[in-house]
Amino acid sequence: MKIAILGFTKVKYMPYMNFYLDQIDTAQHEVHLIYWKRDDMSDSDVPQGVEGHEFDYPMSDAIPLTKKVPGIMKYGKFAKKALKKINPDFLIVLHSTTAISIYGLLKRKYKGKYIFDYRDITYENISIYRRMVATVVNNSALSFTSSDGFRKWLPETSRLLTSHNISNVSLRADMADSLPREKHTPIRIAFWGLLRGKAINQKIIDKLGGDDRFEMHYYGRTQGSMSVLMEESMAKYSNVYFHGEYFPEDRLQMAKNTDVLHNIYEQSNKTSSIAMGNKYYDGVMFALPQLCTKGSLMGTLCTKYSIGLECDPFDADFADKIYEYYTSLDEAEFTANCDRELERVLKEVEYGNQKIKEVLHNV
């Protein structure tokens, strides 16, 4: 069987595709990956046993939708051409924008012959886009959403399951020798991923920068105003560090050099308030206490499972709350809490794995 996976970004920014690849025997099936190289920075290799089809068209994430449309259309044209050449029997479509770019194929030729992975809210405020996404879900053999908070934008159907943004679970075993952790001062607070949200990060840096109880470490890709913020913050504060881009395999060492995980996003951002980001799972997997936005879905879960601190950088005592939380933490108890949450998540992941195998078996 021929299977094509379609993603809307670079290989290294799609670790969640392993959720599907792990269920496919590449020795028995011909697997293709159609992906988008959106900048000139280095990328991870295409997974072994998979044939890559690269759409090379740089486009900033920071530009408005109107300027993104030409790139989206060109990706769709490239993907359709690749699919015509490959002629796969089954598709795995990552991201709603990817799905919309090949909407006609999903509605007709591949109806019931694809898995749809819904990663994030994009343009669902546009009613026609929202209806098209609903059609994509309803026409799929199986769909996944990365957060239960996104379900309000999606149709109610038994074919829609919850996935989790957790990857490389084997790293948990590699971390075991370092757990429970020893307390460290100054407290090393780290963010990793795509750096967004200048206003909220400006506030966090202003609250913690220059406070000798803390160090702030940022790892990841920056564009526009966030690049300027990193440069200005390092020049102003001796305890703020920007380390640049990293590869997925770097996360273990980053985690070992971290005491608290920065998982705070803009409070006014409706998407981030209901999203389940990779860092939530990194915090659980690496047994790292995490700081989450007060009132967000991830913050609610951190409180429910006692694996992090809900907080607001605009509170006057923001820094003191973090310091008190960390210094009073029982590391052994905290690690046990993370173990229980990891077990819950992995049970849901395994259920999804079984459903993927069933769908592929019936193609």
Side-chain angles (χ1 to χ4, degrees):
M1 178 170 65
K2 289 184 182 180
I3 301 171
I5 303 173
L6 296 93
F8 220 55
T9 187
K10 294 163 66 172
V11 176
K12 72 176 179 179
Y13 299 140
M14 297 189 293
Y16 40 83
M17 72 174 157
N18 291 309
F19 180 56
Y20 304 99
L21 274 176
D22 288 347
Q23 315 315 314
I24 301 171
D25 184 351
T26 55
Q28 297 295 322
H29 303 290
E30 183 180 318
V31 182
H32 297 259
L33 174 64
I34 303 170
Y35 64 100
W36 185 347
K37 183 183 178 184
R38 293 173 68 162
D39 60 46
D40 294 325
M41 303 298 287
S42 59
D43 195 5
S44 296
D45 294 332
V46 173
Q48 188 173 4
V50 176
E51 182 177 341
H53 304 264
E54 179 186 86
F55 174 56
D56 188 353
Y57 185 86
M59 186 178 79
S60 170
D61 293 315
I63 62 175
L65 172 60
T66 52
K67 292 186 177 181
K68 289 180 179 179
V69 169
I72 293 171
M73 292 178 67
K74 288 180 180 180
Y75 170 85
K77 184 178 180 180
F78 176 87
K80 291 171 189 174
K81 185 177 180 180
L83 289 174
K84 184 176 181 179
K85 181 179 179 181
I86 300 164
N87 193 27
D89 305 292
F90 196 83
L91 307 181
I92 297 172
V93 185
L94 311 176
H95 312 289
S96 61
T97 324
T98 311
I100 298 306
S101 74
I102 58 164
Y103 181 72
L105 287 175
L106 299 182
K107 193 174 180 180
R108 292 184 286 274
K109 181 177 180 179
Y110 288 102
K111 183 176 181 179
K113 298 179 181 179
Y114 64 89
I115 293 174
F116 174 48
D117 185 293
Y118 186 87
R119 288 277 113 196
D120 207 350
I121 297 172
T122 50
Y123 312 114
E124 281 74 5
N125 59 310
I126 303 172
S127 59
I128 188 171
Y129 186 94
R130 187 167 61 250
R131 290 196 297 271
M132 291 171 75
V133 170
T135 299
V136 171
V137 173
N138 288 327
N139 283 353
S140 70
L142 188 64
S143 289
F144 287 91
T145 175
S146 61
S147 171
D148 286 335
F150 293 154
R151 286 179 177 270
K152 72 175 187 177
W153 297 97
L154 302 169
E156 292 186 15
T157 170
S158 59
R159 73 188 65 196
L160 178 61
L161 305 180
T162 302
S163 64
H164 291 281
N165 287 316
I166 190 167
S167 60
N168 297 324
V169 179
S170 61
L171 292 177
R172 182 67 170 85
D174 297 329
M175 196 76 195
D177 291 343
S178 302
L179 301 175
R181 298 166 181 272
E182 293 183 3
K183 288 289 197 304
H184 183 276
T185 53
I187 303 167
R188 300 165 298 185
I189 301 175
F191 176 100
W192 53 71
L194 175 61
L195 276 69
R196 295 175 176 172
K198 180 184 177 182
I200 195 73
N201 280 287
Q202 180 77 72
K203 179 60 67 173
I204 293 170
I205 290 170
D206 287 346
K207 286 292 182 71
L208 304 181
D211 188 326
D212 59 11
R213 296 176 296 177
F214 306 99
E215 288 180 0
M216 287 294 300
H217 294 265
Y218 284 88
Y219 305 84
R221 180 164 54 114
T222 62
Q223 292 180 341
S225 62
M226 283 302 296
S227 297
V228 176
L229 176 61
M230 291 295 102
E231 292 174 6
E232 293 179 345
S233 298
M234 285 194 293
K236 185 175 181 180
Y237 301 112
S238 62
N239 65 335
V240 176
Y241 306 88
F242 173 58
H243 303 280
E245 285 205 62
Y246 62 92
F247 286 94
E249 56 266 27
D250 298 330
R251 284 189 305 157
L252 178 62
Q253 192 57 49
M254 286 156 50
K256 288 185 176 181
N257 293 332
T258 298
D259 302 307
V260 175
L261 195 56
H262 163 8
N263 196 17
I264 300 172
Y265 293 90
E266 298 278 3
Q267 291 180 331
S268 59
N269 189 321
K270 294 180 180 179
T271 300
S272 64
S273 68
I274 58 175
M276 290 299 298
N278 299 49
K279 281 196 296 299
Y280 175 85
Y281 301 102
D282 283 350
V284 172
M285 185 167 63
F286 296 126
L288 276 171
Q290 55 186 290
L291 309 176
C292 291
T293 309
K294 189 175 182 180
S296 67
L297 177 57
M298 287 189 286
T300 299
L301 293 176
C302 277
T303 298
K304 179 179 180 179
Y305 298 116
S306 299
I307 56 172
L309 176 69
E310 286 187 84
C311 51
D312 184 351
F314 291 87
D315 287 345
D317 57 352
F318 173 67
D320 292 335
K321 283 180 178 176
I322 296 173
Y323 183 79
E324 291 166 8
Y325 168 74
Y326 177 76
T327 55
S328 64
L329 199 64
D330 183 318
E331 293 286 352
E333 181 180 343
F334 176 81
T335 299
N337 292 340
C338 288
D339 287 340
R340 283 190 287 271
E341 173 62 346
L342 182 61
E343 182 180 5
R344 181 190 73 85
V345 167
L346 292 181
K347 282 182 179 179
E348 291 196 11
V349 169
E350 180 54 33
Y351 179 74
N353 290 343
Q354 292 174 3
K355 290 298 181 180
I356 294 169
K357 289 175 181 176
E358 288 176 11
V359 165
L360 294 176
H361 179 74
N362 291 328
V363 173

